[in-house]
Amino acid sequence: MQSVDALRGDAHACVESAGADKSAVCTESAGSTADAAEPRTVRVSHYFEWERFVTGGQAQSVANQRRVLEDHGIDYTTDPDLSADLLHLNNMGPRSVLTAWRARRRGVPVVVTTHQTAADFENSFAFSNALSKPMGPYLERAYSLADRLICPSEHNRAVVDDYTDTPKRVISNGFDPAKLAGHDDPDLREQYLDRYDLDPPVVFTVAHVLKRKGLETFIDTARAMPDTEFVWFGFLQPTHGPLGKLLQSGDTKRLVESAPDNCTFTGYVEDIAGAFAAGDVFYFPTHNENEGMALLEAMSCGVPPVVRDIETYDWLADGEACLKADSAGGFETALRRVLDDPEERERVGANARAVSEQFTLDAVGEELVGLYRELAENTTH
């Protein structure tokens, strides 16, 4: 088996530690203290506009950030509070833009995670294609209000580079292994197989049901492989309640209704570990992603991924930690390769699990906290 660095390619180089080796002994000048100064205590305003309505990967990313803050003992508020040492925004709606503008005037450092681009807005929900046209100019102005942008992937950074020259740091959204506890429990697997009347091996995905996520390709592949079970775990609508029904596009609804009998849409599942327990091959024919947290979760479970060959996944080694394709026939060939050969399925899954270790919250959390402290220590507000 290749090394993890060889499998993951050039995309995520090793993070250099900031400062000198903590075990080094420094010669002190007269009058200096023996102990190193404690890191400055940082209080963060961690604001997520429209938090009640946004679901899916973006909401989970925000939850991951807050978990990191709690694990590192960093005090934070979820209100847009400019008495904090630093403002971190996760959804650049009008209130966030106004708060960022006020923070800049007061000298409060502003961090923005670039969850949205105009491209990933398209084919997402009703009216999204029309809204994507003014989205680019809007985000150019909104992201330019930040002192630092956090981009979840190298691909996302390249896209946002076209919006603004604001300094950027690539920090993955990460994933929380605790959320997946029990995925390897045979009883949980049987429970989910029975619940949805599935005969393994099972091809599955975890995502909102959106055209952008490769919905049409997923259904067409299921139709071409009637001997195989396909399951899509995730919200059938963009958000909860009546608003979700309003935002579901007509194309999405028609595609779901046209799916063959071997293609199941479960809707929202509370225990997502059950989805990863039931599935044998993770199929992700998405057309555009900023990162794709569900892919990282599947990899960490040792499930071999079959993904569309898009720039977002240039860092994933084809044939080693995943299989890539960009056509209906290519996807069918890739899927049959791992479905028909249990040893190949195990090999690709094991490689994927090894690569995923760099994306755990423990790994990415240090980068996020380091950025907070770097910005807070360089401000005098």
Side-chain angles (χ1 to χ4, degrees), residues 309-373:
D309 190 3
I310 56 177
E311 290 182 4
T312 309
Y313 300 127
D314 283 351
W315 59 273
L316 262 178
D318 185 19
E320 295 296 336
C322 74
L323 299 181
K324 295 181 180 180
D326 57 10
S327 67
F331 282 124
E332 183 177 351
T333 299
L335 288 168
R336 291 199 184 280
R337 174 174 163 181
V338 285
L339 287 170
D340 296 343
D341 186 344
E343 289 185 3
E344 178 71 349
R345 193 158 69 234
E346 175 64 26
R347 182 188 71 84
V348 177
N351 290 344
R353 181 189 291 113
V355 174
S356 75
E357 292 176 3
Q358 65 186 301
F359 299 103
T360 64
L361 286 194
D362 285 345
V364 303
E366 295 294 336
E367 299 177 65
L368 179 63
V369 171
L371 176 60
Y372 284 165
R373 288 181 173 145

Side-chain angles (χ1 to χ4, degrees), residues 10-29:
D10 297 331
H12 290 272
C14 295
V15 178
E16 296 179 355
S17 60
D21 186 344
K22 293 180 182 178
S23 64
V25 177
C26 300
T27 303
E28 296 177 344
S29 59

Side-chain angles (χ1 to χ4, degrees), residues 116-119 121 131-143 162-164:
Q116 291 93 11
T117 66
F121 217 62
L131 290 171
S132 69
K133 293 178 173 60
M135 190 77 167
Y138 176 83
L139 289 175
E140 288 177 11
R141 294 173 176 81
Y143 288 161
D162 289 337
Y163 292 169
T164 175

Side-chain angles (χ1 to χ4, degrees), residues 215-229:
L215 173 61
E216 191 166 7
T217 304
F218 191 90
I219 292 172
D220 286 345
T221 310
R223 190 173 287 115
M225 300 174 65
D227 56 330
T228 303
E229 300 276 11

Side-chain angles (χ1 to χ4, degrees), residues 5 17 30 32 42 69 94 107 117 146 153 155 175 185 197 205 209 211 219 249 256 262 278 296 299 333 373:
D5 284 341
S17 60
S32 65
V42 178
L69 295 179
T117 66
S153 67
H155 167 69
F175 72 91
D185 182 348
D197 193 23
T205 198
V209 180
K211 282 190 71 177
I219 292 172
S249 74
V256 171
N262 65 315
L296 304 181
M299 292 170 62
T333 299
R373 288 181 173 145

Side-chain angles (χ1 to χ4, degrees), residues 22 38-42 44 69 72-75 86 109 111 365-379:
K22 293 180 182 178
E38 289 292 325
R40 174 180 168 183
T41 301
V42 178
V44 177
L69 295 179
H72 285 78
I74 294 178
D75 186 27
L86 181 143
V111 174
E366 295 294 336
E367 299 177 65
L368 179 63
V369 171
L371 176 60
Y372 284 165
R373 288 181 173 145
E374 172 189 323
L375 291 173
E377 288 168 3
N378 290 329
T379 186

Side-chain angles (χ1 to χ4, degrees), residues 88-101:
H88 187 168
L89 302 170
N90 273 279
N91 198 34
M92 293 304 284
R95 189 178 185 190
S96 296
V97 168
L98 178 59
T99 305
W101 179 80

